[in-house]
Amino acid sequence: LGRKVGKGFYNYADNSTDSTTNVEIDSDTEVLIAERIIAMLINEAADAVYYGIASPEDIDIAMQKGVNYPKGLLVWAEWGADKVVKIIDALKDEYGETRYRCSTLLRKQAKEGGRFYS
């Protein structure tokens, strides 16, 4: 069921178009979207380290081997904790949701210039 047969959860009108299929996204927007997604993943990984759930190395291996990411999330944090914190804080300011709470460990690294790897 679905759009191709005109049945299912949605009521598809004849000759209707899906507004999301015609949206054009420029390369700058693609970069912003990717950075927001990666920053949130880095934030969650940092919290896992902060709460002693796993080491940075274990998290990175799990993401590479389990999810097939090209590199681990905490290696991606080579952007610098300050950049990741700015992205997360901007999301919190924009949306006001608690899911955009910055990891204590990342905020500490941003203040002190710390890194997960040297």
Side-chain angles (χ1 to χ4, degrees), residues 88-101:
I88 304 272
D89 286 346
L91 290 168
K92 173 80 170 163
D93 292 344
E94 184 172 346
Y95 298 106
E97 296 179 18
T98 56
R99 67 179 165 162
Y100 300 116
R101 176 199 48 76

Side-chain angles (χ1 to χ4, degrees), residues 59-80:
I59 290 169
D60 285 346
I61 289 171
M63 297 310 290
Q64 285 181 287
K65 304 295 183 190
V67 186
N68 203 24
Y69 281 7
K71 56 184 170 181
L73 294 172
L74 300 174
V75 172
W76 248 320
E78 68 196 5
W79 289 349

Side-chain angles (χ1 to χ4, degrees), residues 7-24:
K7 297 178 184 174
F9 183 76
Y10 295 101
N11 182 11
Y12 296 102
D14 292 338
N15 299 323
S16 66
T17 61
D18 183 357
S19 62
T20 60
T21 59
N22 297 326
V23 175
E24 291 188 27

